[in-house]
Amino acid sequence: MSVSLAESLAAAVDSGMPRARDELARLVALRSVANPAIEPTSECRAAAMLAATLFTEAGVDGVQAVETPDGSLAVVGRSAGPAGALRVVLYSHHDVVPAGDPADWATPPWELTERDGRWYARGSADCKGNLVATLLALRALREVAGGWPVELAVVCEGSEEQSSGGMEALARSRPELVACDAFVLADTGNVERGVPTLTTSLRGTGSVLVTVRTMAGPAHSGTYGGAAPDALQALLAALASLRDETGETTIDGLGHDAVWEGAPFDAARFREDAALLDGVEPLTGAAAIADRVWARPAATVIALDATPISQVTAAVHAEARAVVNLRVPAGADAKAAQDLLVAHLHAHTPYGAQVETKAVSLGQGFRARGDGPAYEAMRRAMRTAFGHDAVTTGQGGSIPLAVALTELVPEAEVLLLGVEEPASRIHGPNESVHPDELRRTALALALFLADLGGLV
Ligand SMILES: [Zn+2]
C-alpha cells in the first residue's frame, strides 16, 4: 500500500465523518424492528428505502429492495468492476432489536445523541453503524481512486434480528446476489475498542427434546414414594450427567478438551456481560473462558416440564420432559454431536425408564478459512487503519447466513468484522458506537477494497 493512497483515504474518511453521522442519525430515527407486534412494518420499509437511497448515492448500481420469504425487504445492488476484477459483497442489516423500556435509556433510543464522545441510539452499532461505515468507505474510495477497483455488491438484510431466515432463503433462491470471491459480513466487532478483530469461529447448535416415562400415571408419594421409579428424578440424573463438577460438558464420545487459539475472553468482561451475581464464578475449571464458550461443546437445559408449583400434589412423577440445547464448536459436525447427545441421554437415564428423544433444531457451526488473499488484505488494511495487528475471536452463537455462504459460495472467503466493541452494549439499553471505531472500520474497508483491487 503506497503511503499516499493510505493517507488520501484516511483524509477522505475523516472529511466524510459529518455526513456519516447525519446518515446514522437518519437511520436510527427509524424504529426498524422486523416484528409488527412491536413496531409498525412501515418503519422497516422506510429503513429499507433509506438504505437503498444511500447506497445509490454512494454510487452502487442497480440498487433495489427485494422482498424475502419472511416478508422483510433486503436491499441489494452490484456495480461491475474492471475486467477480471475480484468480486466483493459487503453485508450489513437495517433492522434492529426492540428498544425495550425507554425508561432504561439515558437518552431517547431513536434519536442519535452524543454523550462522552460516544453516539447513542438503538442500532447505532448493530448494525446501522456498520451500514454507515460501509457507505463511508465506498464514498472515500470512489473519491480518492475515481471508482472501485473490484466488482462491488451490497446486501443489506431486513430481518437479521428475527432469525426468520429471510435473507438466507433469498440467497439460496438467487445465489447470484451473493456470488463473490470475498464476503464481508459487517455485523460483529472488536474485542476491545481500537483492537481490530476478525471473528473466525461460530458455534453450531442442536437441541433435543427428551421425554422420560416410568409409570402409567403419577403415584402417591406416601403410598409408593421410595420404591416408585420417579420419572423426574430419572430425567434429572440423566441431565446432571451432561456436566462434570467443574461445569464441563461431558457427553459420551464428544471431545471437550479443545483450546481456543485466538484472543482470550476477558474474565471481568464475561462476569459483567453475563451479569453474574456476587460470589458466583464462571464455569471454567482448568480451562479458560474462551475454551468453554468458543472451542468446546456446551449442553444447557433450556426448558423443563414437570408439575408446576401452583398444582403441587403429593405424587411421584410418571413423566417429565426437558429440552437440552447443545452448542458445538466450529469444525465439529452438529448432527453427529446431536446424535451423541441422544445416545448419552438414553444411556444415562436410570430405572429402566422409557426414554423418547426428538431433535428440535440443528445448525452447523462456521469456521473461516482465514488464510486466503482477502484475509491477508484485510489484515494489512486493519493494521494500517488501527495501528494495531488484527486479532481473531469467536462467537458462541450462530450466524446462519455465514453457514449458508459456505455452501452457496464455497470458494469465497467470508470475513466477519464491524464497529461493535464491548462498550457498545448491543441489544441492551443505551447502545452506542464510538465514532473512532466507525471511522477506523470505514478506513479498513476502503483500504481492503483498494488492496484487493491492486491499487498498491
Ligand atoms: Zn447485527
Side-chain angles (χ1 to χ4, degrees), residues 127-167:
C127 186
K128 290 166 176 172
N130 287 310
L131 167 52
V132 164
T134 301
L135 291 161
L136 179 54
L138 292 178
R139 279 198 300 270
L141 182 55
R142 205 176 171 81
E143 186 184 314
V144 169
W148 302 318
V150 297
E151 179 177 323
L152 195 286
V154 294
V155 168
C156 190
E157 183 173 3
S159 59
E160 195 276 341
E161 302 291 5
Q162 300 300 316
S163 304
S164 46
M167 185 61 230

Side-chain angles (χ1 to χ4, degrees), residues 93 95 126-127 130 160-161 186-188 420 426-427:
H93 61 84
D95 69 309
D126 178 18
C127 186
N130 287 310
E160 195 276 341
E161 302 291 5
D187 189 22
T188 60
E420 298 158 22
I426 63 161
H427 293 201

Side-chain angles (χ1 to χ4, degrees), residues 206-210 235 239 242 251 298-303 322-326 341 345 360:
S207 291
V208 172
L209 166 63
V210 54
L235 174 62
L239 298 177
L242 295 170
I251 295 170
T300 303
V301 180
I302 56 172
V323 175
V324 181
N325 174 253
L326 180 63
L341 170 60
L345 290 168
V360 287

Side-chain angles (χ1 to χ4, degrees), residues 39-407:
E39 301 289 355
T41 308
S42 56
E43 294 287 312
C44 280
R45 305 233 146 212
M49 293 308 135
L50 178 54
T53 300
L54 296 175
F55 279 125
T56 299
E57 286 175 4
V60 181
D61 293 326
V63 177
Q64 52 176 313
V66 182
E67 186 159 335
T68 73
D70 67 6
S72 67
L73 289 176
V75 177
V76 299
R78 187 176 286 255
S79 292
L86 290 173
R87 300 159 303 159
V88 179
V89 178
L90 301 178
Y91 168 95
S92 55
H93 61 84
H94 60 79
D95 69 309
V96 293
V97 297
D101 186 351
D104 293 336
W105 288 70
T107 55
W110 308 109
E111 195 179 313
L112 194 69
T113 309
E114 182 165 348
R115 200 152 37 87
D116 300 328
R118 300 185 67 90
W119 298 347
Y120 287 82
R122 168 60 77 230
S124 56
D126 178 18
C127 186
K128 290 166 176 172
N130 287 310
L131 167 52
V132 164
T134 301
L135 291 161
L136 179 54
L138 292 178
R139 279 198 300 270
L141 182 55
R142 205 176 171 81
E143 186 184 314
V144 169
W148 302 318
V150 297
E151 179 177 323
L152 195 286
V154 294
V155 168
C156 190
E157 183 173 3
S159 59
E160 195 276 341
E161 302 291 5
Q162 300 300 316
S163 304
S164 46
M167 185 61 230
E168 186 184 336
L170 178 65
R172 288 186 187 280
S173 66
R174 291 186 58 189
E176 74 277 9
L177 295 177
V178 295
C180 64
D181 301 291
F183 194 101
V184 179
L185 210 154
D187 189 22
T188 60
N190 298 332
V191 292
E192 63 182 272
R193 183 150 69 84
V195 178
T197 305
L198 290 156
T199 299
T200 55
S201 168
L202 305 170
R203 286 197 293 194
T205 182
S207 291
V208 172
L209 166 63
V210 54
T211 305
V212 172
R213 295 186 189 90
T214 51
M215 299 176 288
H220 190 272
S221 63
T223 310
Y224 303 104
D230 183 340
L232 177 57
Q233 191 64 45
L235 174 62
L236 293 175
L239 298 177
S241 73
L242 295 170
R243 301 264 190 153
D244 71 12
E245 66 281 1
T246 73
E248 187 82 76
T249 292
T250 49
I251 295 170
D252 296 346
L254 187 60
H256 52 82
D257 54 4
V259 172
W260 177 250
E261 306 283 359
F265 196 138
D266 180 69
R269 186 187 132 208
F270 181 88
R271 168 171 282 284
E272 193 184 333
D273 289 357
L276 296 192
L277 299 179
D278 286 346
V280 180
E281 297 301 323
L283 303 178
T284 53
I289 290 174
D291 300 337
R292 288 280 175 96
V293 297
W294 297 328
R296 299 184 187 187
T300 303
V301 180
I302 56 172
L304 186 73
D305 275 358
T307 305
I309 288 170
S310 62
Q311 291 163 40
V312 61
T313 54
V316 179
H317 282 86
E319 178 179 321
R321 309 194 301 165
V323 175
V324 181
N325 174 253
L326 180 63
R327 299 282 169 173
V328 296
D333 179 49
K335 177 68 171 68
Q338 189 178 45
D339 290 346
L340 289 170
L341 170 60
V342 165
H344 183 104
L345 290 168
H346 279 275
H348 290 264
T349 305
Y351 315 151
Q354 294 177 6
V355 179
E356 191 183 312
T357 51
K358 184 173 168 235
V360 287
S361 70
L362 185 67
Q364 294 294 345
F366 165 83
R367 179 181 281 162
R369 282 168 28 219
D371 58 353
Y375 263 85
E376 285 171 17
M378 187 59 84
R379 286 199 176 91
R380 285 192 290 271
M382 285 177 151
R383 191 182 304 124
T384 303
F386 287 79
H388 191 296
D389 281 335
V391 301
T392 58
T393 190
Q395 194 166 296
S398 58
I399 300 180
L401 184 62
V403 181
L405 291 170
T406 61
E407 297 167 30

